[in-house]
Amino acid sequence: MSESLLKFFQETGFAGATWGNIVMILVSFLLLYLAIKHKFEPLLLFTIAFGMLLTNLPGAGMFHSELFAGGHVHWGSFVQNAGLLDYLYLGVKLGIYPCLIFVGVGAMTDFGPLIANPKSFMLGAAAQVGIFLTFIGAIALGFTPAQAGSIGIIGGADGPTAIFLTSMLAPELLGPIAVAAYSYMALVPVIQPPIMRLLTTKKERMIKMEQLRPVSKTEKILFPIVIAVIISMLLPSAAPLIGCLMLGNLMKECGVVDRLSKTVQNELMNIVVIFLGLTVGATATAEAFINLKTLGILLLGVVAFAVGTSGGLLLARFMNLFLPEGKKMNPLIGAAGVSAVPMAARVAQTVGQEANPSNFLLMHAMGPNVAGVVGSAVAAGILLSFLG
Amino acid sequence: MTQIDWSSILTVAFIGFSLVIVMLLLMVFVMKGFGAVFTHQRKKQSPSQSEVDGETVAAIMTALRLFSSARHDRETEMLTILSIKRAYSPWNSKIHGLTQMPDYRK
């Protein structure tokens, strides 16, 4: 009897628990708390946290990282040993989920403010400086170039892009990078305002921008086609992300496939978010997460965000030197160049209204904001072609 | 620890960022060209529209709004009373607002 009880106890997760499992389970509880109580990017942080919980339950064997060791799928043992999360993880490993999410993001994005004010593209480009400076910083901290590129892309403030690039370049860092990217995206209203106030004067923050010109439907339809063709021709490695983003946008703008547009915005997006979050969370095992590298990634992630924000702000100020009075732009919209749609644009609006309550920057900030999405996808393509 | 080839790292970072700038700069020119063509077409199609500025449109819309709101429609004759719950505060407390009975001392 006692032997049977002992055997039963030895088979339970409690007997096999390591301190690493316990720490990771506590981390997953913390992330669940942040997602549920404080609504920190709940759609993804919630599922990531639950995936993290499942993968760290001792003895459950929900996810087998050894099937994906060395950066490729071991198909021979995969068929025999793979479980649900392993099968779902194939969508991340093969770069399917981020692209499907980009179709949904495209269908939900209005590129009108960017078409009306093409200068916004430059603000979106300048904000990508965070990616490349963080890449250098990560190399200095001892990461390999492929890992450093994946860490740098956190500065793009674009979850699917970060997951896409990391799954290609450094899949062993997928868990910490995804957690860092989504946590910092949720913390944009905390990270950005002090930098915005530091790098701009009150007079600049008070600048009112003239109303954007109306954009015709034809322009909105041609925009995704032109961007997809030009960027994919110039940078084929960015084609999956840019192509999917523009496919979704064309579905929305053309107006003849409303059913498809609604599906990619809702059902498809939601299903993929569940699969993506769960499987990315599942990669955050104790061995992969509890080490100094994770600490370095979290540190470099916040640096990437801060540098990206500064890049957009400073370029906007620089461009103002050449713009005539009355046409000057409020430099706060430059900070929205770090993707994080639409949170960064909302932060620009809030900080702008603090300085001048009659100022409405939201639509102006949406231009650099969506340009940041394009910019970070281009940066990911460049890093993939250089380091992949 | 392996030696870091800083020259190639810096080259990747510099060329990478420059490429992002160049590609999005190209997009600026493409979209500017786009905008010029479409704005020109719109002006050609409706030359009179450009003569009406935003303020005039706003004034016309305000006048129309005032005109239409001055005309009374038949109303629903239905009264709706919303119950409002306010959080407790000494300022809205009836206990403090009503005349208190003085303490009766024997």
Side-chain angles (χ1 to χ4, degrees):
Chain A
M1 178 72 180
S2 62
E3 263 185 33
S4 303
L5 278 175
L6 187 67
K7 196 180 169 204
F8 172 73
F9 177 74
Q10 280 170 347
E11 282 178 5
T12 63
F14 292 105
T18 61
W19 68 271
N21 293 135
I22 294 164
V23 170
M24 287 309 296
I25 289 171
L26 291 176
V27 170
S28 72
F29 288 166
L30 174 70
L31 293 180
L32 280 172
Y33 170 77
L34 291 175
I36 296 168
K37 178 76 178 172
H38 295 287
K39 298 186 173 63
F40 276 17
E41 291 286 333
L43 288 179
L44 269 153
L45 214 51
F46 172 85
T47 44
I48 287 176
F50 210 82
M52 195 184 279
L53 176 66
L54 289 178
T55 200
N56 284 291
L57 290 173
M62 298 284 286
F63 179 71
H64 304 91
S65 53
E66 65 275 10
L67 296 177
F68 307 97
H72 53 270
V73 186
H74 297 268
W75 292 108
S77 48
F78 190 89
V79 181
Q80 291 163 350
N81 303 324
L84 174 68
L85 289 182
D86 300 312
Y87 276 100
L88 292 180
Y89 182 66
L90 286 175
V92 176
K93 188 72 213 155
L94 303 174
I96 297 168
Y97 297 152
C99 292
L100 289 179
I101 288 202
F102 253 46
V103 178
V105 170
M108 288 194 277
T109 304
D110 178 12
F111 284 102
L114 180 61
I115 301 169
N117 184 14
K119 285 195 292 286
S120 304
F121 265 119
M122 291 318 296
L123 301 176
Q128 309 312 317
V129 69
I131 294 176
F132 293 95
L133 287 182
T134 309
F135 166 72
I136 297 171
I139 294 280
L141 283 185
F143 288 95
T144 64
Q147 289 175 335
S150 304
I151 295 166
I153 203 71
I154 297 173
D158 201 325
T161 308
I163 290 170
F164 179 80
L165 188 68
T166 309
S167 65
M168 300 286 172
L169 292 183
E172 69 279 6
L173 297 183
L174 192 56
I177 286 177
V179 168
Y182 283 108
S183 305
Y184 290 138
M185 273 160 63
L187 289 173
V188 159
V190 179
I191 298 170
Q192 284 198 321
I195 302 166
M196 292 159 103
R197 290 189 199 103
L198 186 72
L199 294 180
T200 54
T201 62
K202 187 166 185 194
K203 195 180 165 196
E204 284 173 326
R205 293 198 294 275
M206 289 173 71
I207 293 175
K208 275 192 177 183
M209 293 176 69
E210 62 176 26
Q211 200 181 347
L212 293 169
R213 74 171 174 86
V215 176
S216 68
K217 190 178 175 186
T218 317
E219 280 177 278
K220 285 188 172 180
I221 291 174
L222 286 176
F223 176 81
I225 300 171
V226 170
I227 296 287
V229 170
I230 294 179
I231 293 189
S232 303
M233 297 277 273
L234 289 173
L235 190 63
S237 52
L241 288 176
I242 292 289
C244 288
L245 183 74
M246 295 304 157
L247 167 69
N249 190 249
L250 187 59
M251 280 180 187
K252 172 183 171 252
E253 299 299 352
C254 72
V256 294
V257 285
D258 272 352
R259 280 171 50 188
L260 301 188
S261 174
K262 280 178 189 155
T263 302
V264 295
Q265 285 180 47
N266 298 290
E267 292 84 356
L268 181 69
M269 181 90 157
N270 293 343
I271 290 168
V272 176
V273 161
I274 295 169
F275 290 170
L276 181 76
L278 266 181
T279 49
V280 165
T283 62
T285 54
E287 305 83 62
F289 208 88
I290 306 174
N291 51 47
L292 279 177
K293 278 187 175 177
T294 302
L295 206 62
I297 290 167
L298 293 174
L299 182 75
L300 287 164
V302 76
V303 170
F305 261 68
V307 175
T309 304
S310 310
L313 286 168
L314 293 175
L315 184 75
R317 289 186 71 178
F318 180 71
M319 285 165 80
N320 270 349
L321 296 176
F322 306 97
L323 293 172
E325 205 61 48
K327 292 261 181 192
K328 287 193 189 300
M329 64 174 87
N330 190 314
L332 293 177
I333 67 166
V338 289
S339 263
V341 183
M343 189 78 90
R346 280 196 210 136
V347 171
Q349 159 78 8
T350 310
V351 178
Q353 281 208 325
E354 275 174 20
N356 181 356
S358 65
N359 212 350
F360 291 94
L361 292 175
L362 189 64
M363 284 316 283
H364 299 286
M366 280 309 289
N369 211 191
V370 293
V373 179
V374 177
S376 57
V378 168
I382 289 168
L383 287 172
L384 193 59
S385 65
F386 280 0
L387 310 169
Chain B
M1 191 177 159
T2 53
Q3 194 71 29
I4 300 168
D5 182 5
W6 279 109
S7 63
S8 64
I9 295 298
L10 293 175
T11 309
V12 167
F14 180 74
I15 294 179
F17 185 55
S18 305
L19 275 174
V20 175
I21 295 280
V22 168
M23 291 185 91
L24 295 198
L25 190 62
L26 180 67
M27 290 299 120
V28 173
F29 290 123
V30 170
M31 295 319 296
K32 284 235 176 207
F34 237 67
V37 171
F38 280 94
T39 314
H40 181 68
Q41 273 188 353
R42 202 175 299 129
K43 275 182 184 165
K44 261 172 52 179
Q45 280 168 2
S46 54
S48 58
Q49 268 192 359
S50 60
E51 291 161 17
V52 185
D53 63 354
E55 285 185 15
T56 315
V57 173
I60 294 169
M61 294 309 292
T62 312
L64 281 172
R65 167 85 182 153
L66 288 173
F67 174 71
S68 60
S69 61
R71 294 190 310 178
H72 285 276
D73 290 335
R74 184 180 168 79
E75 293 181 0
T76 59
E77 297 171 355
M78 189 187 292
L79 288 178
T80 311
I81 300 170
L82 296 173
S83 69
I84 298 172
K85 286 180 182 170
R86 291 197 176 89
Y88 170 79
S89 153
W91 296 100
N92 66 12
S93 169
K94 286 183 181 170
I95 299 166
H96 298 290
L98 295 174
T99 310
Q100 303 279 315
M101 289 295 286
D103 288 341
Y104 180 72
R105 289 183 189 169
K106 288 182 181 174

